[in-house]
Coordinates of all heavy atoms in Angstrom, one line a residue:
M1 N 0.9 -1.2 0.1 CA 0.0 0.0 0.0 C 0.9 1.2 0.0 O 1.7 1.4 0.8 CB -1.0 0.0 1.2 CG -1.9 -1.2 1.2 SD -3.3 -0.9 0.2 CE -4.4 0.2 1.1
S2 N 0.8 2.0 -1.1 CA 1.6 3.3 -1.1 C 0.9 4.5 -0.6 O 1.4 5.5 -0.4 CB 1.9 3.5 -2.5 OG 0.9 3.6 -3.4
H3 N -0.5 4.4 -0.3 CA -1.2 5.5 0.0 C -0.9 5.9 1.6 O -0.9 5.0 2.4 CB -2.7 5.2 0.0 CG -3.2 5.0 -1.4 ND1 -3.2 6.1 -2.2 CD2 -3.7 4.0 -2.0 CE1 -3.8 5.8 -3.4 NE2 -4.1 4.4 -3.3
T4 N -0.8 7.2 1.7 CA -0.7 7.5 3.3 C -2.1 7.6 3.8 O -3.0 7.7 3.0 CB -0.1 8.9 3.4 OG1 -0.8 9.9 2.9 CG2 1.3 8.9 2.7
P5 N -2.3 7.5 5.1 CA -3.6 7.6 5.6 C -4.3 9.0 5.2 O -5.4 9.0 5.0 CB -3.3 7.5 7.2 CG -2.2 6.7 7.2 CD -1.3 7.1 6.1
H6 N -3.5 10.0 5.2 CA -4.1 11.3 4.8 C -4.6 11.3 3.4 O -5.8 11.8 3.2 CB -3.0 12.3 5.0 CG -3.5 13.8 5.0 ND1 -4.4 14.2 5.9 CD2 -3.3 14.8 4.0 CE1 -4.7 15.5 5.6 NE2 -4.1 15.8 4.6
E7 N -4.0 10.6 2.5 CA -4.4 10.6 1.2 C -5.8 9.8 1.1 O -6.7 10.1 0.4 CB -3.5 9.9 0.2 CG -2.3 10.9 -0.2 CD -1.2 10.1 -0.8 OE1 -1.2 8.9 -0.7 OE2 -0.3 10.9 -1.3
I8 N -5.8 8.7 1.8 CA -7.1 7.9 1.8 C -8.2 8.7 2.4 O -9.3 8.7 1.9 CB -6.9 6.6 2.8 CG1 -5.8 5.6 1.9 CG2 -8.2 5.9 2.8 CD1 -5.4 4.6 2.7
Y9 N -7.9 9.4 3.4 CA -9.0 10.0 4.0 C -9.6 11.2 3.2 O -10.8 11.4 3.1 CB -8.5 10.8 5.3 CG -9.6 11.7 6.1 CD1 -10.7 11.1 6.7 CD2 -9.6 13.0 5.8 CE1 -11.6 11.9 7.2 CE2 -10.6 13.7 6.4 CZ -11.6 13.3 7.1 OH -12.6 14.0 7.7
Q10 N -8.9 11.7 2.3 CA -9.3 12.8 1.4 C -9.9 12.3 0.2 O -10.6 13.2 -0.5 CB -8.1 13.7 1.1 CG -7.6 14.5 2.3 CD -7.0 15.7 2.0 OE1 -6.2 15.7 0.9 NE2 -7.0 16.7 2.7
R11 N -9.8 11.0 -0.2 CA -10.5 10.6 -1.4 C -11.9 10.6 -1.2 O -12.6 10.2 -0.1 CB -10.1 9.2 -1.7 CG -8.7 9.0 -2.2 CD -8.4 7.5 -2.4 NE -9.5 6.7 -2.7 CZ -9.4 5.4 -2.5 NH1 -8.4 4.8 -1.9 NH2 -10.5 4.6 -2.7
S12 N -12.7 11.1 -2.2 CA -14.1 11.2 -2.2 C -14.9 9.8 -2.1 O -16.0 9.6 -1.7 CB -14.7 12.1 -3.3 OG -14.4 11.4 -4.5
T13 N -14.1 8.9 -2.5 CA -14.6 7.4 -2.6 C -14.4 6.7 -1.4 O -14.8 5.5 -1.3 CB -14.0 6.6 -3.8 OG1 -12.6 6.7 -3.7 CG2 -14.3 7.2 -5.1
A14 N -13.8 7.3 -0.4 CA -13.5 6.6 0.9 C -14.9 6.0 1.4 O -15.8 6.8 1.5 CB -12.9 7.4 2.0
P15 N -15.0 4.8 1.7 CA -16.3 4.3 2.1 C -16.7 4.9 3.5 O -17.9 4.9 3.8 CB -16.1 2.6 2.2 CG -14.7 2.5 2.4 CD -14.1 3.7 1.7
V16 N -15.9 5.2 4.4 CA -16.3 5.8 5.6 C -15.7 7.2 5.8 O -14.5 7.4 5.6 CB -15.8 4.9 6.8 CG1 -16.0 5.5 8.1 CG2 -16.3 3.5 6.7
T17 N -16.6 8.1 6.1 CA -16.1 9.6 6.3 C -16.5 10.0 7.7 O -17.5 9.6 8.2 CB -16.8 10.5 5.3 OG1 -18.1 10.3 5.2 CG2 -16.2 10.2 3.8
I18 N -15.7 10.8 8.3 CA -15.9 11.4 9.6 C -16.2 12.9 9.5 O -15.4 13.6 8.8 CB -14.7 11.2 10.5 CG1 -14.1 9.7 10.3 CG2 -14.9 11.6 11.9 CD1 -14.9 8.7 10.9
D19 N -17.3 13.3 10.0 CA -17.6 14.7 10.0 C -16.8 15.3 11.3 O -17.1 15.1 12.4 CB -19.1 14.9 10.3 CG -19.5 16.4 10.5 OD1 -18.5 17.2 10.7 OD2 -20.6 16.7 10.4
E20 N -15.6 15.9 10.9 CA -14.8 16.5 12.0 C -15.3 17.4 12.9 O -14.9 17.6 14.1 CB -13.5 16.9 11.4 CG -12.7 15.9 10.6 CD -11.2 16.4 10.1 OE1 -11.1 17.6 10.3 OE2 -10.5 15.5 9.7
S21 N -16.4 18.2 12.4 CA -17.0 19.1 13.3 C -17.8 18.5 14.4 O -18.1 19.0 15.4 CB -18.0 20.1 12.5 OG -19.0 19.4 12.0
R22 N -18.2 17.1 14.2 CA -19.0 16.5 15.2 C -18.2 15.6 16.0 O -18.5 15.2 17.1 CB -20.0 15.5 14.5 CG -21.1 16.3 13.9 CD -22.2 15.4 13.5 NE -23.3 16.1 12.9 CZ -24.4 15.3 12.3 NH1 -24.5 14.1 12.6 NH2 -25.5 16.0 11.8
C23 N -16.9 15.1 15.4 CA -16.2 14.0 16.1 C -15.4 14.7 17.5 O -15.1 15.7 17.4 CB -15.0 13.7 15.1 SG -13.8 12.5 16.0
I24 N -15.6 13.9 18.5 CA -15.2 14.3 19.7 C -13.9 13.5 20.2 O -13.7 13.2 21.4 CB -16.2 14.3 21.0 CG1 -17.0 13.0 21.0 CG2 -17.2 15.5 20.6 CD1 -17.9 12.8 22.1
A25 N -13.1 12.9 19.3 CA -11.9 12.2 19.6 C -11.0 13.1 20.4 O -10.3 12.6 21.3 CB -11.3 11.7 18.3
D26 N -11.0 14.4 20.2 CA -10.3 15.3 21.0 C -10.7 15.3 22.5 O -10.1 15.8 23.3 CB -10.2 16.7 20.4 CG -11.5 17.3 20.1 OD1 -12.6 16.6 20.4 OD2 -11.6 18.4 19.8
K27 N -11.9 14.9 22.8 CA -12.3 14.7 24.2 C -12.2 13.3 24.8 O -12.7 13.0 25.8 CB -13.8 15.1 24.3 CG -14.2 16.4 23.7 CD -14.1 17.5 24.7 CE -14.8 18.7 24.2 NZ -14.4 19.4 22.9
G28 N -11.4 12.5 24.0 CA -11.1 11.2 24.5 C -11.9 10.1 23.8 O -11.7 8.9 24.3
C29 N -12.8 10.3 23.0 CA -13.7 9.2 22.3 C -12.9 8.4 21.4 O -12.1 8.9 20.5 CB -14.9 9.9 21.6 SG -15.9 8.7 20.9
T30 N -12.9 7.1 21.5 CA -12.4 6.1 20.5 C -13.2 5.0 20.1 O -12.9 4.1 19.8 CB -11.1 5.4 21.1 OG1 -11.4 4.8 22.3 CG2 -10.0 6.6 21.5
V31 N -14.6 5.3 20.3 CA -15.6 4.2 20.1 C -15.4 3.7 18.7 O -15.5 2.4 18.6 CB -17.0 4.9 20.3 CG1 -18.0 3.8 19.7 CG2 -17.3 5.3 21.7
C32 N -15.5 4.4 17.6 CA -15.5 3.9 16.3 C -14.2 3.1 16.1 O -14.3 2.0 15.3 CB -15.5 5.0 15.2 SG -14.4 6.2 15.3
V33 N -13.1 3.5 16.5 CA -11.8 2.7 16.5 C -11.9 1.5 17.2 O -11.5 0.4 16.6 CB -10.6 3.6 17.0 CG1 -9.4 2.8 17.1 CG2 -10.4 4.9 16.2
D34 N -12.6 1.5 18.4 CA -12.6 0.3 19.2 C -13.6 -0.7 18.6 O -13.4 -1.9 18.7 CB -13.1 0.6 20.6 CG -12.1 1.4 21.3 OD1 -10.9 1.5 21.0 OD2 -12.6 2.2 22.2
V35 N -14.6 -0.3 17.9 CA -15.7 -1.2 17.4 C -15.4 -1.8 16.1 O -16.0 -3.0 15.7 CB -17.1 -0.7 17.3 CG1 -17.6 -0.3 18.8 CG2 -17.2 0.5 16.4
C36 N -14.4 -1.2 15.3 CA -14.3 -1.8 13.9 C -13.5 -3.0 14.0 O -12.3 -3.2 14.6 CB -13.4 -0.7 13.1 SG -13.0 -1.4 11.4
P37 N -14.0 -4.2 13.5 CA -13.4 -5.6 13.6 C -12.1 -5.6 12.8 O -11.4 -6.4 13.0 CB -14.4 -6.4 13.1 CG -15.5 -5.6 12.2 CD -15.3 -4.3 12.8
L38 N -12.0 -4.7 11.8 CA -10.9 -4.7 11.0 C -9.7 -3.6 11.4 O -8.8 -3.7 10.7 CB -11.2 -4.5 9.5 CG -12.2 -5.5 9.0 CD1 -12.4 -5.3 7.4 CD2 -11.5 -7.0 9.0
D39 N -10.0 -2.9 12.4 CA -9.2 -1.9 12.9 C -8.8 -0.9 11.6 O -7.6 -0.5 11.3 CB -7.8 -2.5 13.3 CG -8.1 -3.1 14.6 OD1 -8.8 -2.6 15.5 OD2 -7.3 -4.1 15.0
L40 N -9.9 -0.6 11.0 CA -9.6 0.5 9.9 C -9.5 1.9 10.2 O -9.2 2.7 9.5 CB -10.8 0.2 8.8 CG -11.0 -1.2 8.3 CD1 -12.2 -1.1 7.4 CD2 -9.8 -1.7 7.6
L41 N -10.1 2.1 11.3 CA -10.2 3.6 11.7 C -9.2 3.8 12.8 O -8.7 2.9 13.5 CB -11.6 3.9 12.3 CG -12.8 3.5 11.5 CD1 -14.1 3.6 12.0 CD2 -12.8 4.2 10.1
A42 N -8.7 5.1 12.8 CA -7.7 5.6 13.8 C -8.0 7.1 14.2 O -8.8 7.7 13.5 CB -6.4 5.4 13.1
I43 N -7.5 7.4 15.2 CA -7.5 8.9 15.7 C -6.2 9.6 15.1 O -5.1 9.1 15.3 CB -7.6 8.9 17.2 CG1 -8.7 8.1 17.8 CG2 -7.7 10.5 17.5 CD1 -10.1 8.4 17.2
D44 N -6.4 10.8 14.3 CA -5.3 11.6 14.0 C -5.1 12.4 15.3 O -5.9 13.3 15.6 CB -5.7 12.5 12.8 CG -4.7 13.4 12.4 OD1 -3.9 13.8 13.3 OD2 -4.7 13.7 11.1
L45 N -3.9 12.2 15.8 CA -3.6 12.8 17.2 C -3.3 14.2 17.0 O -3.5 15.0 17.8 CB -2.5 12.1 17.9 CG -2.7 10.6 18.3 CD1 -1.6 9.9 18.7 CD2 -3.9 10.6 19.2
T46 N -2.9 14.7 15.9 CA -2.5 16.1 15.7 C -3.9 16.9 15.5 O -4.0 18.1 16.0 CB -1.6 16.4 14.5 OG1 -2.2 15.9 13.2 CG2 -0.3 15.7 14.7
K47 N -4.8 16.3 14.9 CA -6.2 16.9 14.6 C -7.1 16.7 15.8 O -8.0 17.3 16.1 CB -6.8 16.5 13.4 CG -6.2 17.1 12.2 CD -7.2 16.6 11.0 CE -6.8 17.2 9.7 NZ -7.7 16.6 8.6
G48 N -6.9 15.5 16.5 CA -7.9 15.1 17.5 C -9.2 14.5 16.9 O -10.3 14.8 17.5
K49 N -9.1 14.1 15.7 CA -10.2 13.5 15.0 C -10.0 12.1 14.4 O -8.9 11.9 14.1 CB -10.6 14.6 13.8 CG -10.9 15.9 14.2 CD -12.0 16.2 15.2 CE -12.0 17.6 15.6 NZ -13.1 17.7 16.5
A50 N -11.1 11.3 14.3 CA -11.0 9.9 13.7 C -11.0 10.2 12.2 O -11.3 11.1 11.7 CB -12.3 9.3 14.1
Y51 N -10.4 9.1 11.5 CA -10.2 9.1 10.2 C -10.1 7.6 9.6 O -9.8 6.8 10.5 CB -9.0 10.0 9.5 CG -7.7 9.3 9.9 CD1 -7.0 8.6 8.9 CD2 -7.2 9.5 11.2 CE1 -5.8 8.0 9.2 CE2 -5.9 8.9 11.5 CZ -5.3 8.2 10.5 OH -4.0 7.8 10.7
M52 N -10.4 7.5 8.4 CA -10.2 6.1 7.8 C -8.9 5.8 7.4 O -8.3 6.5 6.6 CB -11.2 5.9 6.7 CG -11.2 4.3 6.2 SD -12.5 3.9 5.1 CE -12.9 2.2 5.9
K53 N -8.2 4.9 8.1 CA -6.8 4.7 7.9 C -6.5 3.6 6.8 O -5.6 3.7 6.1 CB -6.2 4.2 9.3 CG -4.5 4.0 9.1 CD -4.1 3.8 10.5 CE -2.6 3.8 10.6 NZ -2.0 3.5 11.9
F54 N -7.5 2.6 6.7 CA -7.3 1.6 5.6 C -8.6 1.4 5.0 O -9.7 1.3 5.6 CB -6.9 0.3 6.4 CG -5.6 0.2 7.1 CD1 -5.5 0.3 8.5 CD2 -4.4 0.4 6.4 CE1 -4.3 0.3 9.1 CE2 -3.2 0.6 7.1 CZ -3.1 0.5 8.5
D55 N -8.5 1.3 3.7 CA -9.8 1.3 2.9 C -10.2 -0.2 2.6 O -10.1 -0.6 1.4 CB -9.5 2.1 1.7 CG -10.7 2.3 0.7 OD1 -11.7 1.8 1.1 OD2 -10.6 2.9 -0.3
E56 N -10.7 -1.0 3.5 CA -11.0 -2.3 3.3 C -12.3 -2.6 4.0 O -12.5 -3.6 4.7 CB -9.8 -3.2 3.9 CG -8.6 -3.1 3.0 CD -7.5 -3.7 3.6 OE1 -7.8 -4.6 4.4 OE2 -6.3 -3.5 3.3
C57 N -13.3 -1.7 3.9 CA -14.4 -1.8 4.8 C -15.3 -3.1 4.4 O -15.5 -3.4 3.3 CB -15.2 -0.5 4.5 SG -16.7 -0.3 5.7
W58 N -15.9 -3.6 5.5 CA -16.8 -4.8 5.4 C -18.4 -4.3 5.5 O -19.3 -5.1 5.4 CB -16.7 -5.7 6.6 CG -15.6 -6.7 6.3 CD1 -14.8 -6.8 5.2 CD2 -15.1 -7.7 7.4 NE1 -13.8 -8.0 5.4 CE2 -14.1 -8.4 6.6 CE3 -15.5 -8.0 8.6 CZ2 -13.3 -9.4 7.4 CZ3 -14.8 -9.0 9.2 CH2 -13.8 -9.7 8.6
Y59 N -18.5 -2.8 5.7 CA -19.8 -2.3 5.9 C -20.7 -3.1 6.8 O -21.9 -3.3 6.7 CB -20.5 -2.4 4.4 CG -19.7 -1.8 3.3 CD1 -19.0 -2.7 2.4 CD2 -19.5 -0.4 3.3 CE1 -18.1 -2.2 1.6 CE2 -18.6 0.2 2.4 CZ -18.0 -0.7 1.5 OH -17.2 -0.1 0.5
C60 N -20.0 -3.4 8.0 CA -20.8 -4.1 9.0 C -21.4 -2.9 10.0 O -22.3 -3.3 10.8 CB -19.8 -5.0 9.8 SG -18.4 -4.0 10.5
M61 N -21.0 -1.7 9.9 CA -21.8 -0.6 10.5 C -21.7 -0.1 11.9 O -22.3 0.9 12.3 CB -23.3 -0.7 10.1 CG -23.7 -0.9 8.6 SD -23.0 0.4 7.6 CE -24.1 1.8 7.9
P62 N -21.1 -0.9 12.7 CA -21.0 -0.5 14.2 C -20.4 1.0 14.3 O -20.7 1.6 15.2 CB -20.4 -1.5 14.9 CG -19.5 -2.3 13.9 CD -20.4 -2.2 12.6
C63 N -19.5 1.1 13.4 CA -18.7 2.5 13.6 C -19.8 3.7 13.5 O -19.7 4.6 14.3 CB -17.6 2.7 12.6 SG -18.1 2.5 10.9
E64 N -20.6 3.5 12.5 CA -21.8 4.5 12.4 C -22.8 4.4 13.4 O -23.1 5.5 14.0 CB -22.4 4.4 11.0 CG -23.5 5.5 10.7 CD -24.0 5.4 9.3 OE1 -23.1 5.4 8.4 OE2 -25.3 5.3 9.2
Q65 N -23.1 3.3 13.7 CA -24.2 3.2 14.8 C -23.7 3.5 16.1 O -24.6 4.0 16.9 CB -24.7 1.7 14.8 CG -25.4 1.3 13.5 CD -25.5 -0.2 13.3 OE1 -25.1 -1.0 14.0 NE2 -26.2 -0.6 12.1
D66 N -22.5 3.3 16.5 CA -22.1 3.5 18.0 C -21.4 5.0 18.2 O -21.2 5.2 19.3 CB -21.1 2.4 18.4 CG -21.8 1.0 18.4 OD1 -23.0 0.9 18.2 OD2 -21.1 0.0 18.5
C67 N -21.2 5.6 17.1 CA -20.5 6.9 17.3 C -21.6 7.7 18.2 O -22.7 7.9 17.6 CB -20.2 7.7 16.1 SG -19.8 9.4 16.2
P68 N -21.0 8.3 19.3 CA -22.1 9.1 20.2 C -22.5 10.3 19.6 O -23.5 10.9 20.0 CB -21.3 9.3 21.4 CG -19.9 9.2 20.9 CD -19.8 8.2 19.9
T69 N -21.9 10.9 18.5 CA -22.2 12.1 18.0 C -22.7 12.1 16.5 O -23.0 13.0 16.0 CB -21.1 13.2 18.0 OG1 -20.0 12.6 17.2 CG2 -20.6 13.4 19.5
G70 N -22.8 11.0 16.0 CA -23.3 10.8 14.6 C -22.3 11.3 13.5 O -22.7 11.6 12.5
A71 N -21.0 11.3 14.0 CA -20.0 11.8 13.1 C -19.7 10.8 11.9 O -19.0 11.3 11.0 CB -18.8 12.2 13.9
V72 N -19.9 9.6 12.1 CA -19.4 8.6 11.2 C -20.5 8.4 10.1 O -21.7 8.1 10.4 CB -19.0 7.2 11.9 CG1 -18.6 6.2 10.8 CG2 -18.0 7.4 13.0
K73 N -20.0 8.4 8.8 CA -21.0 8.0 7.8 C -20.4 7.0 6.8 O -19.2 7.0 6.4 CB -21.3 9.3 6.9 CG -22.3 9.0 5.7 CD -23.7 9.1 6.3 CE -24.5 8.8 5.2 NZ -24.8 7.5 4.8
V74 N -21.2 5.7 6.8 CA -20.6 4.6 5.8 C -21.3 4.7 4.6 O -22.6 4.6 4.6 CB -20.8 3.3 6.6 CG1 -20.2 2.2 5.8 CG2 -20.0 3.3 8.0
E75 N -20.5 4.8 3.5 CA -21.2 4.8 2.1 C -21.2 3.5 1.6 O -20.2 3.0 1.2 CB -20.4 5.8 1.3 CG -20.3 7.2 1.8 CD -21.7 8.0 1.5 OE1 -22.6 7.5 0.9 OE2 -21.7 9.1 2.1
I76 N -22.4 2.8 1.9 CA -22.5 1.4 1.2 C -22.6 1.4 -0.2 O -23.4 2.1 -0.8 CB -23.8 0.7 1.9 CG1 -23.6 0.8 3.4 CG2 -23.9 -0.6 1.3 CD1 -24.8 0.3 4.1
P77 N -21.7 0.7 -0.9 CA -21.8 0.6 -2.5 C -23.2 0.3 -2.9 O -23.8 -0.6 -2.3 CB -20.7 -0.3 -2.9 CG -19.8 -0.5 -1.7 CD -20.8 -0.1 -0.4
Y78 N -23.6 0.6 -4.1 CA -24.9 0.2 -4.6 C -25.1 -1.2 -4.7 O -26.2 -1.8 -4.4 CB -25.2 0.9 -5.8 CG -25.4 2.3 -5.7 CD1 -24.6 3.3 -6.1 CD2 -26.7 2.8 -5.2 CE1 -24.9 4.7 -6.0 CE2 -27.0 4.1 -5.0 CZ -26.1 5.1 -5.4 OH -26.3 6.4 -5.3
L79 N -24.0 -2.0 -5.0 CA -24.2 -3.4 -5.3 C -24.4 -4.2 -4.0 O -24.8 -5.3 -4.1 CB -22.8 -3.9 -6.0 CG -22.5 -3.5 -7.4 CD1 -21.2 -3.9 -7.9 CD2 -23.7 -4.1 -8.2
L80 N -24.2 -3.6 -2.8 CA -24.3 -4.3 -1.7 C -25.6 -3.9 -0.9 O -25.9 -4.6 0.1 CB -23.2 -4.0 -0.6 CG -21.7 -4.5 -1.2 CD1 -20.8 -4.1 0.0 CD2 -21.7 -6.0 -1.4
R81 N -26.4 -2.9 -1.5 CA -27.6 -2.5 -0.9 C -28.7 -3.5 -1.1 O -28.7 -4.2 -2.0 CB -28.0 -1.1 -1.2 CG -27.1 -0.1 -0.8 CD -27.5 1.3 -1.2 NE -26.4 2.3 -0.8 CZ -26.4 3.5 -1.0 NH1 -27.4 4.0 -1.9 NH2 -25.4 4.3 -0.7
Ligands
SF4_101 S1 -16.9 7.3 17.6 FE1 -17.5 9.2 16.7 S2 -16.9 10.8 18.1 FE2 -15.9 9.0 18.7 S3 -13.9 9.0 17.8 FE3 -15.3 7.9 16.3 S4 -16.1 9.6 14.9 FE4 -15.2 10.6 16.6
SF4_102 S1 -18.4 -0.5 8.6 FE1 -17.4 -2.1 9.8 S2 -15.4 -2.6 8.8 FE2 -16.2 -0.6 7.9 S3 -15.1 0.9 9.2 FE3 -17.1 0.6 10.1 S4 -16.7 -0.9 11.7 FE4 -14.9 -1.0 10.3

C-alpha cells in the first residue's frame, strides 16, 4: 500500500467519512476505532479527529451506529444495498 492515511481520508470514494465538526476524539472518544473489527479507523492525534486509515471496509456498520455524535457515515456501495 503506497497511500498514506491522509491521502485515503481525502478521497471522495472513501467508504467511511468522519464529520470532523462532530467528532469528539479530542475529548477522548475512541468508540469507532474500538468497534471496527478490521481496525480500519484511527485517531489523528494532531487533529484530535477520527479518520479512515485503511480502505477495506466490510460495511458491518457499528462505527456509524455506535458513534455518540453521529460523526461517522458509511457509504455502502450500490451493489451491496
Ligand atoms: S466514535 Fe464518533 S466521536 Fe468518537 S472518535 Fe469515532 S467519529 Fe469521533
Ligand atoms: S463499517 Fe465495519 S469494517 Fe467498515 S469501518 Fe465501520 S466498523 Fe470498520
Side-chain angles (χ1 to χ4, degrees):
M1 295 286 275
S2 59
H3 294 293
T4 68
H6 193 63
E7 284 167 344
I8 290 170
Y9 177 73
Q10 293 200 326
R11 280 173 38 195
S12 60
T13 54
V16 177
T17 54
I18 312 292
D19 181 342
E20 293 190 351
S21 67
R22 292 187 180 186
C23 179
I24 53 169
D26 52 355
K27 305 272 198 301
C29 182
T30 59
V31 169
C32 60
V33 176
D34 295 339
V35 296
C36 179
L38 299 180
D39 288 331
L40 302 181
L41 306 176
I43 306 298
D44 181 330
L45 294 174
T46 59
K47 284 186 178 176
K49 304 297 175 184
Y51 69 102
M52 184 163 221
K53 187 171 185 179
F54 301 108
D55 183 359
E56 294 170 19
C57 189
W58 279 354
Y59 308 104
C60 55
M61 304 306 281
C63 56
E64 179 175 307
Q65 288 162 358
D66 293 355
C67 174
T69 63
V72 182
K73 182 80 180 77
V74 179
E75 299 287 349
I76 301 173
Y78 287 109
L79 286 172
L80 294 183
R81 285 182 191 171

